């Protein structure tokens, strides 16, 4: 249990990579905790992680394994909205739900968003210029850029973005069993969406929410709980990963001045820099939970039915057996077969959007602020104490 508790702490994130390296070499299928009849495992090697993410021997829907309490309360009913997301279901439900939103996130559709993403980035840079001097790159740029983009795609008022940030943080913290205001914030989020859905039913618009509401009314594709779950997932996943992608990659560039110079000299390396950022400081530290459907042997370890299994995305992306000089940040690297966006049927739906937002962000920032650098008067940035994600609390920089 002591090891599991450490994984939730911010200071663990600072020293996580040597720990992962040790696990890959000595105990790659790591028993994280054991309680009563259930064990929890972390998979750390690249090949093993890909196998875990692809195989159907590990499932996402825990209701297939564990019975639901017969004493459900209104609170239980409410929280099911946040426990039935597309991330947590298996085929055929997963296939049906993904098919509904896939057209909005295919590469061709996302490419058409580039002019609008560039306009948003320009507007944010204009606001940064008005502040002058020192800024928090996360609050002033890395957060608002993706939340405005996903809000417009969904049809959600962008002025509500700070509400989404609070609700998102609460829900993510709840996944770590760390939330203190979960019920209150979930209720607020649910009430907000209910009002928004009512508005869209009365006056449909050309947005994703209006189209999903139409699917719900047809009854065969989407039920009410799935509708709420889908929108919550898209709002959270639509910005959390990209905030981390932008901030983490900029942080890695600050840590490696020669790589920053190379990128500023040649913006054709921007896409490479994004891929290397995804690998080096993966925005998602661990996969969401999977469960062993039956007793099995997995690379020398006996895993029992109902055991929880997590893939360490960060460890896989630093696996020295897969990547040469894996602990070096190199934007000229050629092999970008990382698993930062997952693998298999649950591969991140929003990967094309996140990549495009990251590319626009880096090019706009470095063009507007060629002298951008870490604020040396501040302490070293802290990683957020969130188990599933790797993201900074703040990233203070000088821009002139």
């Amino acid at each position: 249990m002591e090891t599991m508790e450490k994984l939730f702490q911010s200071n663990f994130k600072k020293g996580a990579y040597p720990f992962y390296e040790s696990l890959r070499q000595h105990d790659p299928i790591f028993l994280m905790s054991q309680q009563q009849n259930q064990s929890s495992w972390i998979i750390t090697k690249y090949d093993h992680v890909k196998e875990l993410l692809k195989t159907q021997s590990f499932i996402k829907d825990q209701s297939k394994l564990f019975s639901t309490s017969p004493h459900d309360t209104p609170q239980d009913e409410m929280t099911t909205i946040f426990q039935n997301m597309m991330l947590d279901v298996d085929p055929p439900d997963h296939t049906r739900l993904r098919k509904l939103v896939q057209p909005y996130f295919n590469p061709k559709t996302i490419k058409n968003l580039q002019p609008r993403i560039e306009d948003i980035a320009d507007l944010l840079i204009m606001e940064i210029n008005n502040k002058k001097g020192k800024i928090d790159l996360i609050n002033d740029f890395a957060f608002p850029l993706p939340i405005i983009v996903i809000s417009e795609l969904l049809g959600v008022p962008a002025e509500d973005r700070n509400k989404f940030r609070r609700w998102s943080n609460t829900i993510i913290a709840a996944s770590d069993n760390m939330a203190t205001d979960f019920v209150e914030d979930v209720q607020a989020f649910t009430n907000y969406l209910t009002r928004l859905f009512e508005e869209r039913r009365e006056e449909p618009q050309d947005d994703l929410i209006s189209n999903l509401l139409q699917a719900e009314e047809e009854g065969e594709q989407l039920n009410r709980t799935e509708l709420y779950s889908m929108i919550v997932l898209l709002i959270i996943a639509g910005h959390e990963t990209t905030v981390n992608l932008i901030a983490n990659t900029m942080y890695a560039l600050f840590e490696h001045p020669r790589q920053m110079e190379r990128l500023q000299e040649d913006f054709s390396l921007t896409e490479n820099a994004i891929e290397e950022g995804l690998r080096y400081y993966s925005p998602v530290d661990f996969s969401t939970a999977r469960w062993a459907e039956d007793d099995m042997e997995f690379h020398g370890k006996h895993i029992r039915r109902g055991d929880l299994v997590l893939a360490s995305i960060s460890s896989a992306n630093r696996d020295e057996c897969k990547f040469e000089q894996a602990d070096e940040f190199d934007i000229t690297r050629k092999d970008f077969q990382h698993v930062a966006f997952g693998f298999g049927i649950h591969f991140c739906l929003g990967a094309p959007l996140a990549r495009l937002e990251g590319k626009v962000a880096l090019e706009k920032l470095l063009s507007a602020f060629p002298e951008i650098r870490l604020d040396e008067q501040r302490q070293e940035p802290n990683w957020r104490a969130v188990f599933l994600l790797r993201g900074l609390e703040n990233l203070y920089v000088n821009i002139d």
Side-chain angles (χ1 to χ4, degrees), residues 33 50 70 79-80 123 165 167 170 192 222 240-241 292 305 315 343 349 364 371-372:
S33 67
K50 288 189 71 173
T79 57
T80 58
L123 178 61
R165 191 177 198 181
W167 295 332
T170 297
Y192 176 90
L222 196 68
E240 279 284 356
T241 301
R305 172 181 167 84
S315 176
F343 188 70
L349 184 72
K364 291 290 185 178
E371 301 299 321
I372 191 171

Side-chain angles (χ1 to χ4, degrees), residues 24 112 126 146 160 170 177 223 264 279 309 356 368 373:
R24 288 193 303 271
N112 293 334
M126 187 183 306
D160 293 329
T170 297
N177 297 316
N223 63 41
Q264 290 178 311
R279 185 198 70 83
V309 186
L356 177 58
R373 61 199 181 279

Side-chain angles (χ1 to χ4, degrees), residues 141-188:
F141 191 83
F143 168 72
L145 176 64
I147 197 65
I148 293 172
V149 172
I150 194 63
S151 295
E152 291 185 354
L153 186 62
L154 290 169
V156 173
E159 59 266 25
D160 293 329
R161 63 194 186 211
N162 286 324
K163 295 178 185 176
F164 300 150
R165 191 177 198 181
R166 172 181 169 82
W167 295 332
S168 174
N169 287 341
T170 297
I171 293 166
I172 289 171
S175 71
D176 289 351
N177 297 316
M178 294 167 57
T180 57
D181 302 317
F182 179 67
V183 174
E184 179 182 341
D185 282 350
V186 165
Q187 186 67 68

Side-chain angles (χ1 to χ4, degrees), residues 17 248 277-285 313-314 317 340 390:
Y17 289 106
N248 293 1
L278 286 163
R279 185 198 70 83
Y280 188 79
Y281 281 145
S282 303
V284 176
D285 223 343
I313 303 299
S314 290
N317 285 337
R390 173 170 287 273

Side-chain angles (χ1 to χ4, degrees), residues 336-350:
F336 287 121
Q337 296 182 46
H338 58 71
V339 287
F341 289 120
F343 188 70
I345 65 170
H346 287 279
F347 181 84
C348 178
L349 184 72

Side-chain angles (χ1 to χ4, degrees), residues 128 132-138 140 250-251 254 365 369 371-376 378 381 394-400:
I128 290 172
K132 301 186 181 299
K134 301 175 182 179
I135 64 165
D136 178 359
L137 194 59
I138 293 177
D140 293 325
M250 286 297 296
Y251 183 46
F254 292 139
L365 281 171
F369 309 114
E371 301 299 321
I372 191 171
R373 61 199 181 279
L374 280 176
D375 183 355
E376 295 181 355
R378 298 274 187 170
N394 303 96
L395 187 58
Y396 295 104
V397 300
N398 290 320
I399 57 174
D400 53 28

Side-chain angles (χ1 to χ4, degrees), residues 276 279 318 320 323-330 333:
E276 181 68 341
R279 185 198 70 83
R318 294 283 193 102
E320 53 284 327
F323 302 99
E324 292 186 12
Q325 298 176 316
D327 285 328
E328 291 190 11
F329 180 76
D330 180 6
R333 187 182 297 275

Side-chain angles (χ1 to χ4, degrees), residues 197-232:
F197 294 164
E198 289 172 354
E199 292 174 7
R200 288 296 181 273
R201 285 192 176 97
E202 292 179 5
E203 296 183 18
Q205 299 182 14
D206 184 19
D207 57 42
L208 183 48
I209 285 180
S210 297
N211 287 342
L212 289 176
L213 285 168
Q214 181 63 40
E216 182 215 13
E217 289 173 1
E218 292 174 359
E220 296 182 358
Q221 294 181 300
L222 196 68
N223 63 41
R224 177 182 178 277
T225 299
E226 290 171 340
L227 173 65
Y228 280 81
S229 297
M230 180 69 78
I231 299 304
V232 170

